[in-house]
Amino acid sequence: MTRYVLEYHLVSYRRVWRSSVLSSFVLPLLTMLGFGVGVGAYVTGGVEGVPYLDWMVPGLIASTAMQVAIGDSTWPVLGGFEWQRIYFGQAAAPLRVADILDGHLAFVVFRTLISCAAFLAIATAFGTMHSWWALLTLPIAALVGLAVATPAFAYAATVRIDSYLAVLFRLGVIPMSLFSGVFFPVESLPGLLRWIAYALPLWHGVDLSRAATLGVAPAWSPVGHVLYLALWAGAGWLLAYRAFRRRLVV
Protein backbone atom coordinates (compact mmCIF):
# COMPACT_ATOMS: atom_id res chain seq x y z
CA MET A 1 0.00 0.00 0.00
CA THR A 2 2.94 2.35 0.58
CA ARG A 3 3.65 2.47 -3.15
CA TYR A 4 0.18 3.91 -3.82
CA VAL A 5 0.86 6.82 -1.49
CA LEU A 6 4.24 7.35 -3.17
CA GLU A 7 2.52 7.24 -6.55
CA TYR A 8 0.10 9.94 -5.41
CA HIS A 9 2.98 12.26 -4.48
CA LEU A 10 4.85 11.51 -7.69
CA VAL A 11 1.78 12.27 -9.80
CA SER A 12 1.28 15.51 -7.90
CA TYR A 13 4.95 16.39 -8.37
CA ARG A 14 4.68 15.73 -12.12
CA ARG A 15 2.47 18.82 -12.35
CA VAL A 16 4.94 21.15 -10.61
CA TRP A 17 8.41 19.67 -11.19
CA ARG A 18 9.40 22.46 -13.59
CA SER A 19 9.31 24.96 -10.73
CA SER A 20 12.10 23.09 -8.92
CA VAL A 21 14.43 22.54 -11.88
CA LEU A 22 15.85 26.06 -11.86
CA SER A 23 16.68 26.03 -8.15
CA SER A 24 18.13 22.51 -8.37
CA PHE A 25 20.77 23.61 -10.87
CA VAL A 26 21.15 27.38 -10.47
CA LEU A 27 21.41 27.42 -6.66
CA PRO A 28 24.34 24.93 -6.54
CA LEU A 29 26.07 26.85 -9.30
CA LEU A 30 25.69 30.22 -7.55
CA THR A 31 26.69 28.73 -4.20
CA MET A 32 29.89 27.24 -5.59
CA LEU A 33 30.75 30.43 -7.43
CA GLY A 34 30.03 32.62 -4.42
CA PHE A 35 31.54 30.58 -1.60
CA GLY A 36 33.87 28.15 -3.31
CA VAL A 37 35.40 30.44 -5.92
CA GLY A 38 34.82 33.87 -4.33
CA VAL A 39 35.55 33.12 -0.68
CA GLY A 40 37.95 30.32 -1.60
CA ALA A 41 40.25 32.82 -3.31
CA TYR A 42 40.98 34.27 0.14
CA VAL A 43 41.59 30.89 1.79
CA THR A 44 45.22 30.48 0.86
CA GLY A 45 46.45 26.91 1.08
CA GLY A 46 42.91 25.57 1.27
CA VAL A 47 41.67 23.54 4.23
CA GLU A 48 43.68 20.55 5.43
CA GLY A 49 45.71 20.78 2.24
CA VAL A 50 42.63 20.61 0.00
CA PRO A 51 41.41 23.55 -2.16
CA TYR A 52 38.55 25.27 -0.35
CA LEU A 53 36.02 24.62 -3.13
CA ASP A 54 36.84 20.90 -3.19
CA TRP A 55 36.70 20.75 0.61
CA MET A 56 33.40 22.60 0.88
CA VAL A 57 31.37 20.93 -1.91
CA PRO A 58 30.68 17.60 -0.13
CA GLY A 59 29.44 19.55 2.88
CA LEU A 60 27.12 21.50 0.61
CA ILE A 61 25.74 18.27 -0.85
CA ALA A 62 24.94 16.94 2.63
CA SER A 63 23.51 20.32 3.64
CA THR A 64 21.34 20.34 0.52
CA ALA A 65 19.99 16.93 1.51
CA MET A 66 19.13 18.25 4.95
CA GLN A 67 17.45 21.43 3.68
CA VAL A 68 15.43 19.73 0.94
CA ALA A 69 14.30 16.95 3.28
CA ILE A 70 13.19 19.32 6.03
CA GLY A 71 11.56 21.67 3.53
CA ASP A 72 9.47 18.81 2.14
CA SER A 73 8.70 17.50 5.65
CA THR A 74 7.29 20.62 7.25
CA TRP A 75 4.80 22.76 5.29
CA PRO A 76 3.61 19.83 3.12
CA VAL A 77 2.96 17.74 6.24
CA LEU A 78 1.19 20.58 8.03
CA GLY A 79 -0.85 21.18 4.88
CA GLY A 80 -1.75 17.51 4.71
CA PHE A 81 -3.42 17.87 8.10
CA GLU A 82 -4.66 21.46 8.17
CA TRP A 83 -5.12 22.82 4.63
CA GLN A 84 -5.50 20.24 1.85
CA ARG A 85 -6.19 17.54 4.48
CA ILE A 86 -5.02 14.82 2.10
CA TYR A 87 -3.98 12.57 4.98
CA PHE A 88 -7.57 12.26 6.15
CA GLY A 89 -8.67 11.27 2.65
CA GLN A 90 -5.92 8.67 2.50
CA ALA A 91 -6.85 7.38 5.94
CA ALA A 92 -10.44 6.95 4.75
CA ALA A 93 -9.13 4.62 2.03
CA PRO A 94 -7.84 1.15 2.94
CA LEU A 95 -4.45 2.57 3.95
CA ARG A 96 -2.68 2.13 7.24
CA VAL A 97 -1.04 5.02 9.07
CA ALA A 98 2.34 3.46 8.33
CA ASP A 99 1.49 3.38 4.60
CA ILE A 100 0.63 7.09 4.60
CA LEU A 101 3.77 8.00 6.52
CA ASP A 102 6.16 5.74 4.61
CA GLY A 103 4.80 6.73 1.21
CA HIS A 104 5.33 10.41 1.91
CA LEU A 105 8.78 9.75 3.38
CA ALA A 106 9.72 7.80 0.25
CA PHE A 107 8.78 10.83 -1.84
CA VAL A 108 10.91 13.08 0.38
CA VAL A 109 13.87 10.75 -0.17
CA PHE A 110 13.21 10.87 -3.93
CA ARG A 111 13.22 14.68 -3.86
CA THR A 112 16.40 14.68 -1.79
CA LEU A 113 18.16 12.34 -4.20
CA ILE A 114 17.34 14.25 -7.37
CA SER A 115 18.39 17.58 -5.78
CA CYS A 116 21.68 16.14 -4.56
CA ALA A 117 22.29 14.39 -7.89
CA ALA A 118 22.00 17.77 -9.63
CA PHE A 119 24.44 19.26 -7.13
CA LEU A 120 26.84 16.36 -7.62
CA ALA A 121 26.71 16.76 -11.42
CA ILE A 122 27.55 20.46 -11.22
CA ALA A 123 30.30 19.83 -8.67
CA THR A 124 31.81 17.20 -10.96
CA ALA A 125 31.80 19.73 -13.81
CA PHE A 126 33.84 22.03 -11.57
CA GLY A 127 36.42 19.26 -11.12
CA THR A 128 35.89 18.95 -7.37
CA MET A 129 35.49 15.16 -7.24
CA HIS A 130 38.68 13.24 -6.43
CA SER A 131 37.35 9.68 -6.26
CA TRP A 132 34.69 7.39 -7.74
CA TRP A 133 33.61 6.95 -4.12
CA ALA A 134 31.90 10.32 -4.63
CA LEU A 135 28.89 8.39 -5.95
CA LEU A 136 28.30 7.29 -2.37
CA THR A 137 27.27 10.85 -1.55
CA LEU A 138 23.84 9.98 -2.97
CA PRO A 139 22.97 7.15 -0.55
CA ILE A 140 24.56 9.24 2.19
CA ALA A 141 22.26 12.12 1.21
CA ALA A 142 19.26 9.77 1.34
CA LEU A 143 20.22 8.68 4.86
CA VAL A 144 20.77 12.27 5.99
CA GLY A 145 17.39 13.15 4.48
CA LEU A 146 15.65 10.40 6.44
CA ALA A 147 17.50 11.30 9.65
CA VAL A 148 16.11 14.84 9.57
CA ALA A 149 12.82 14.23 7.76
CA THR A 150 11.34 11.79 10.27
CA PRO A 151 11.63 14.09 13.30
CA ALA A 152 10.46 16.99 11.11
CA PHE A 153 7.38 14.93 10.17
CA ALA A 154 6.74 14.32 13.87
CA TYR A 155 7.06 18.01 14.69
CA ALA A 156 4.95 19.24 11.77
CA ALA A 157 2.21 16.75 12.65
CA THR A 158 1.86 18.21 16.15
CA VAL A 159 1.54 21.93 15.26
CA ARG A 160 -1.50 23.77 13.96
CA ILE A 161 -0.05 26.95 12.46
CA ASP A 162 3.00 27.45 10.27
CA SER A 163 4.61 30.03 12.56
CA TYR A 164 6.03 27.12 14.53
CA LEU A 165 7.72 25.82 11.39
CA ALA A 166 9.54 29.13 10.96
CA VAL A 167 10.86 28.67 14.50
CA LEU A 168 12.20 25.25 13.51
CA PHE A 169 14.13 26.76 10.61
CA ARG A 170 15.51 29.66 12.63
CA LEU A 171 16.56 27.63 15.66
CA GLY A 172 17.31 24.30 13.99
CA VAL A 173 18.01 24.33 10.28
CA ILE A 174 20.07 27.52 10.01
CA PRO A 175 22.36 26.81 13.00
CA MET A 176 22.81 23.20 11.86
CA SER A 177 23.79 24.42 8.38
CA LEU A 178 26.34 26.86 9.78
CA PHE A 179 27.96 24.79 12.53
CA SER A 180 28.15 21.23 11.16
CA GLY A 181 31.43 21.50 9.30
CA VAL A 182 30.03 22.61 5.95
CA PHE A 183 31.99 25.87 5.67
CA PHE A 184 34.78 25.37 8.20
CA PRO A 185 36.17 22.46 10.26
CA VAL A 186 34.14 21.61 13.34
CA GLU A 187 37.42 21.30 15.25
CA SER A 188 37.77 25.10 15.16
CA LEU A 189 34.65 25.50 17.33
CA PRO A 190 34.90 25.88 21.14
CA GLY A 191 34.60 22.62 23.05
CA LEU A 192 30.89 22.76 23.95
CA LEU A 193 29.77 23.89 20.49
CA ARG A 194 31.95 21.21 18.93
CA TRP A 195 30.18 18.46 20.86
CA ILE A 196 26.80 19.94 19.95
CA ALA A 197 27.87 19.77 16.29
CA TYR A 198 28.89 16.14 16.74
CA ALA A 199 25.45 15.39 18.17
CA LEU A 200 23.65 16.83 15.14
CA PRO A 201 22.95 14.48 12.22
CA LEU A 202 24.29 16.81 9.53
CA TRP A 203 27.91 16.63 10.70
CA HIS A 204 27.90 12.87 10.25
CA GLY A 205 26.63 13.24 6.70
CA VAL A 206 29.19 15.95 5.98
CA ASP A 207 32.07 13.83 7.27
CA LEU A 208 30.97 10.79 5.24
CA SER A 209 30.41 12.86 2.07
CA ARG A 210 33.76 14.62 2.40
CA ALA A 211 35.56 11.32 2.86
CA ALA A 212 33.81 9.92 -0.23
CA THR A 213 34.53 12.86 -2.56
CA LEU A 214 38.15 13.28 -1.44
CA GLY A 215 38.89 9.55 -1.27
CA VAL A 216 40.12 9.70 2.34
CA ALA A 217 39.11 8.11 5.63
CA PRO A 218 36.37 9.94 7.60
CA ALA A 219 37.14 11.52 10.95
CA TRP A 220 34.87 9.00 12.68
CA SER A 221 33.99 5.37 12.01
CA PRO A 222 31.88 5.00 8.82
CA VAL A 223 29.78 2.34 10.51
CA GLY A 224 29.33 4.60 13.51
CA HIS A 225 28.18 7.44 11.26
CA VAL A 226 25.65 5.23 9.50
CA LEU A 227 24.32 3.75 12.73
CA TYR A 228 23.96 7.18 14.31
CA LEU A 229 22.03 8.53 11.32
CA ALA A 230 19.90 5.38 11.32
CA LEU A 231 19.18 5.97 15.02
CA TRP A 232 17.92 9.48 14.22
CA ALA A 233 15.78 8.12 11.38
CA GLY A 234 14.36 5.28 13.48
CA ALA A 235 13.58 7.39 16.54
CA GLY A 236 12.07 10.10 14.34
CA TRP A 237 9.91 7.55 12.55
CA LEU A 238 8.49 6.27 15.83
CA LEU A 239 7.66 9.83 16.93
CA ALA A 240 6.13 10.62 13.53
CA TYR A 241 4.07 7.43 13.58
CA ARG A 242 2.69 8.27 17.01
CA ALA A 243 1.83 11.83 15.93
CA PHE A 244 0.17 10.64 12.70
CA ARG A 245 -1.77 7.92 14.48
CA ARG A 246 -2.98 10.34 17.14
CA ARG A 247 -4.49 12.61 14.48
CA LEU A 248 -5.74 10.07 11.96
CA VAL A 249 -7.13 7.29 14.10
CA VAL A 250 -10.35 8.20 15.86
Side-chain angles (χ1 to χ4, degrees):
M1 292 297 185
T2 298
R3 69 180 184 274
Y4 297 121
V5 179
L6 173 59
E7 182 181 357
Y8 163 80
H9 290 289
L10 290 174
V11 170
S12 299
Y13 183 65
R14 189 172 61 184
R15 303 190 185 102
V16 300
W17 67 271
R18 295 173 183 82
S19 63
S20 65
V21 170
L22 186 64
S23 61
S24 296
F25 286 93
V26 173
L27 186 58
L29 178 62
L30 294 178
T31 302
M32 282 189 281
L33 288 174
F35 282 95
V37 178
V39 178
Y42 295 93
V43 185
T44 56
V47 180
E48 300 172 352
V50 178
Y52 184 66
L53 177 61
D54 298 14
W55 186 88
M56 184 188 65
V57 159
L60 288 174
I61 294 174
S63 180
T64 296
M66 182 268 295
Q67 293 180 35
V68 171
I70 291 184
D72 281 10
S73 303
T74 46
W75 276 273
V77 172
L78 177 60
F81 283 114
E82 297 294 332
W83 304 323
Q84 299 88 3
R85 300 178 67 85
I86 59 170
Y87 291 138
F88 296 100
Q90 292 172 346
L95 292 171
R96 300 172 302 171
V97 173
D99 297 326
I100 297 170
L101 174 60
D102 292 344
H104 198 167
L105 280 172
F107 175 73
V108 171
V109 171
F110 167 77
R111 283 273 294 123
T112 301
L113 283 174
I114 60 175
S115 297
C116 291
F119 209 128
L120 181 62
I122 293 175
T124 302
F126 272 77
T128 61
M129 300 295 109
H130 295 260
S131 170
W132 284 102
W133 289 104
L135 293 173
L136 287 178
T137 56
L138 295 181
I140 293 168
L143 186 54
V144 170
L146 270 179
V148 298
T150 52
F153 264 65
Y155 178 74
T158 59
V159 300
R160 301 284 179 166
I161 56 175
D162 60 352
S163 299
Y164 292 106
L165 302 183
V167 172
L168 173 64
F169 273 78
R170 291 192 184 100
L171 300 183
V173 176
I174 294 176
M176 190 167 13
S177 300
L178 293 175
F179 301 111
S180 293
V182 177
F183 302 105
F184 56 86
V186 168
E187 290 72 23
S188 63
L189 291 170
L192 178 60
L193 289 178
R194 187 186 315 159
W195 284 105
I196 292 175
Y198 292 152
L200 297 173
L202 181 56
W203 176 78
H204 298 269
V206 169
D207 191 41
L208 283 173
S209 296
R210 187 163 288 136
T213 61
L214 298 179
V216 298
W220 203 36
S221 162
V223 175
H225 279 313
V226 171
L227 290 177
Y228 189 71
L229 289 171
L231 178 63
W232 269 82
W237 188 92
L238 290 174
L239 292 173
Y241 178 80
R242 287 184 59 187
F244 270 56
R245 184 175 178 81
R246 189 178 300 120
R247 298 196 65 175
L248 295 177
V249 177
V250 179

